[in-house]
Structure formats: structure tokens, C-alpha cells
């Protein structure tokens, strides 16, 4: 049984979710008694491919072309599908990142393969993959099997741990120049906005998010100050993004980004079901809200019912002392 995994890279560096997917795919391959191949797409990616060996990759297919330096949904989907057609995998793993969520359905359509999206766990049972994924905006979990000949699973970032294992042999790296035409680049990236100074919310270990309880955009400085002390990403609820207070790439929730950090601090967020759907799988949730009956407290591990304008400066100050900053 062949297993295929997609390792996402940006600007010549693997994303954290790439290591998570490769290690999860290694576990699946071992459980199924199959072989694992990992696909990397981009420009000059052969040089970075060996890094995947520490996470269980024994064979890496580097699909290289200068035109693939920037992501193109049509081109990436095409070259991955072509590689999959040659490899004939039974199971394919993608990250449920922004890129993975875009690619996986297109590859699914090209290969005639069903997909279980945004999985938070899986196990091997009777020679098959049984995946767990959230439904009803995260209110319930279901176990699913994919019954098509080729099965695709996308894995939620930050849920599957990835730890490098030393001492293993480097993977066999095959550099392939895929067949591409200008027509394959029907969708192109024309500009890239790089967030500087803070991690992306989808990969951050700690996220400090703010909502309408902050009352004005300038008050997000309180959230930013706490995030800077913790080395955290800044998140936002849909209400403040719609109001123009924060950029859309910070939005956490059903219509924003799904996150699973180790620590999620919700400041002035009531906890609408759409927001909870995007962050309820966080390992620890801390809620700060003046309304003791706010829904956010129902999912919080720790809650502070109080004025966010008093609590945030005090919390930031105490953490500075504790962390020596």
C-alpha cells in the first residue's frame, strides 16, 4: 500500500504543518504496512528535502520549476495530481492549512478521490484509516472512513505533534521537472503580504485574541502588548474584522482561520458559536470577559470575569516580571 503526503513550504522553508503531516503519514504507513513518499513543490526545493528525513520521510519527490516559486492553485494541484497518478497511492495526506484546504479538493476532483477534511485524529483499524473530524461548528466529533479507492485526509495544524528523531538515514530525494504549460497557471499570485514580527495564527503556539469588548481599534494595543511578552500571535473575532479594526488574516472562527494553539487567550470575546468553531480545539483556553455568563466561559479552562481594561495591563505587567522582560 502506497501512502503519499504533501509537505508545504514557503520561500524555501518548510511550514510546521509539513513536519506534522509527514510524521502522521509515517505512522499511518507503519500501521498499514505500506511505503511512504512525500511530495514537495516549488523552486529549488531539492535542497531542503533532506530535512524531512528526521520526521519519517524515506523518499521525497521534489517537483521543481522556477514558475512554481509562488503558489498557484491550478499549477500546484495539477503537478501533485500527475505525481499521484504515477505513484498510485491508496492514501494521501494534506495539511488543513490555507494551502492544503485549497489544494486538497482540487486534487480530490482530479483523482476521483473522496476527502475527509480537517481531521483532528486518526487510527488504523482492520487495514483502514478511521479519522476523527469536527462537525456542527465543532459541537460534535464524528469518526469517518473514506470508501473510494484513493482516500484523502487533511490534518488540522497544531493538533498532530511533530518531533524530529535523530539518527535516521537521510531520505532518497528524486528531483522531477513536471510538465507545465502557461495554461496551468490560470490562477497566479500577484502580490504577497508578509506579516512581520509575530507568528501566523494557524501555526502559533500561543494566540491572544480580541473582540468587541475592547470597544475601539486603538485598544488592541493591550492585546498586542500581551502578545509581544508571550511571543504570541494576535487574533481577532469576526465582529472586529468586519468593523475594519483588524486585518482578515487575523480572524479566528468558522469564516476565518481554524487554530489549535497550546494556549488561547480570549480578551473581550463573548464566544459566539462561529468563533468557538475556530478555536475550541486549543489545548488551554483562557477567557477574560466582564459578562460572567458569556458562552466563552463554557469552553474555557480558566476564566476571569472582569474588566479587560484592568486585567490585561495587570496580566502583562506580571508576566513581564515573571519572564524577566
Amino acid at each position: 500500500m502506497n501512502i503519499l503526503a504533501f509537505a508545504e513550504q514557503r520561500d524555501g522553508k518548510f511550514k510546521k504543518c509539513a513536519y506534522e503531516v509527514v510524521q502522521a503519514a509515517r505512522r499511518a504507513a507503519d500501521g498499514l504496512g505500506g511505503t511512504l513518499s512525500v511530495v514537495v513543490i516549488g523552486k529549488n526545493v531539492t535542497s531542503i528535502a533532506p530535512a524531512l528525513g528526521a520526521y519519517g520521510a524515506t523518499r521525497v519527490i521534489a517537483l521543481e520549476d522556477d514558475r512554481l516559486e509562488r503558489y498557484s492553485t491550478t499549477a500546484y494541484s495539477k503537478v501533485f495530481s500527475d505525481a499521484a497518478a504515477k505513484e498510485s497511492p491508496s492514501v494521501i495526506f494534506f495539511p488543513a492549512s490555507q494551502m492544503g484546504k485549497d489544494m486538497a479538493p482540487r486534487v480530490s476532483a482530479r483523482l476521483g478521490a473522496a476527502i475527509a477534511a480537517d481531521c483532528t485524529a486518526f487510527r488504523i483499524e482492520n487495514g483502514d484509516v478511521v479519522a476523527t473530524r469536527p462537525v456542527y461548528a465543532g459541537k460534535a466529533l464524528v469518526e469517518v472512513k473514506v470508501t473510494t479507492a484513493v482516500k484523502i485526509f487533511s490534518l488540522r495544524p497544531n493538533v498532530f505533534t511533530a518531533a524530529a528523531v535523530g539518527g535516521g538515514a537521510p531520505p532518497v530525494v528524486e528531483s522531477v521537472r513536471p510538465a507545465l504549460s502557461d495554461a496551468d497557471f490560470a490562477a497566479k499570485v500577484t502580490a504577497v503580504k508578509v506579516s512581520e514580527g509575530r507568528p501566523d495564527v494557524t501555526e502559533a503556539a500561543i494566540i491572544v485574541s480580541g473582540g468587541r469588548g475592547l470597544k475601539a481599534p486603538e485598544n488592541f494595543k493591550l492585546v498586542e502588548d500581551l502578545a509581544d511578552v508571550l511571543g504570541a500571535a494576535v487574533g481577532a473575532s469576526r465582529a472586529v474584522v468586519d468593523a475594519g479594526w483588524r486585518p482578515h488574516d487575523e480572524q479566528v472562527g468558522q469564516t476565518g482561520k481554524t487554530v489549535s494553539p497550546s494556549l488561547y487567550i480570549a480578551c473581550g470575546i463573548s464566544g459566539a458559536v462561529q468563533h468557538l468553531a475556530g478555536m475550541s480545539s486549543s489545548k488551554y483556553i483562557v477567557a477574560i470577559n466582564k459578562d460572567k455568563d458569556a458562552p466563552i466561559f463554557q469552553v474555557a479552562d480558566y476564566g476571569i470575569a472582569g474588566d479587560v481594561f484592568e486585567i490585561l495591563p495587570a496580566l502583562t505587567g506580571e508576566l513581564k516580571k515573571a519572564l524577566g522582560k
Side-chain angles (χ1 to χ4, degrees), residues 113-301:
I115 178 172
D118 202 26
C119 300
T120 55
F122 71 83
R123 69 177 189 276
I124 306 302
E125 184 178 276
N126 298 323
D128 207 350
V129 178
V130 180
T132 301
R133 59 183 304 274
V135 293
Y136 302 123
K139 290 183 177 179
L141 297 172
V142 296
E143 290 190 337
V144 296
K145 286 185 179 181
V146 180
T147 58
T148 50
V150 181
K151 305 166 176 60
I152 299 179
F153 301 89
S154 66
L155 309 181
R156 180 176 290 190
N158 283 337
V159 172
F160 294 83
T161 57
V165 179
V172 175
V173 180
E174 301 174 13
S175 180
V176 178
R177 184 175 179 85
L180 286 166
S181 67
D182 291 342
D184 295 321
F185 292 86
K188 296 181 180 180
V189 175
T190 57
V192 177
K193 181 181 178 182
V194 179
S195 177
E196 297 181 357
R198 295 190 183 94
D200 182 84
V201 291
T202 57
E203 295 200 341
I206 303 174
I207 300 173
V208 184
S209 279
R212 282 184 296 187
L214 290 167
K215 296 182 179 179
E218 56 269 20
N219 293 331
F220 254 83
K221 180 70 165 56
L222 298 173
V223 170
E224 292 174 341
D225 289 344
L226 178 56
D228 289 341
V229 171
L230 295 172
V234 171
S237 67
R238 176 177 176 174
V240 299
V241 171
D242 286 349
W245 296 6
R246 305 299 295 184
H248 185 267
D249 60 6
E250 292 181 0
Q251 183 179 326
V252 174
Q254 193 169 25
T255 55
K257 293 182 177 178
T258 300
V259 300
S260 298
S262 297
L263 175 61
Y264 188 88
I265 304 176
C267 310
I269 296 175
S270 62
V273 64
Q274 291 87 352
H275 188 79
L276 298 183
M279 46 66 73
S280 58
S281 61
S282 303
K283 187 172 183 180
Y284 295 105
I285 299 172
V286 176
I288 305 170
N289 199 293
K290 66 180 181 180
D291 180 6
K292 63 181 178 60
D293 296 318
I296 191 72
F297 288 122
Q298 296 177 16
V299 299
D301 297 284

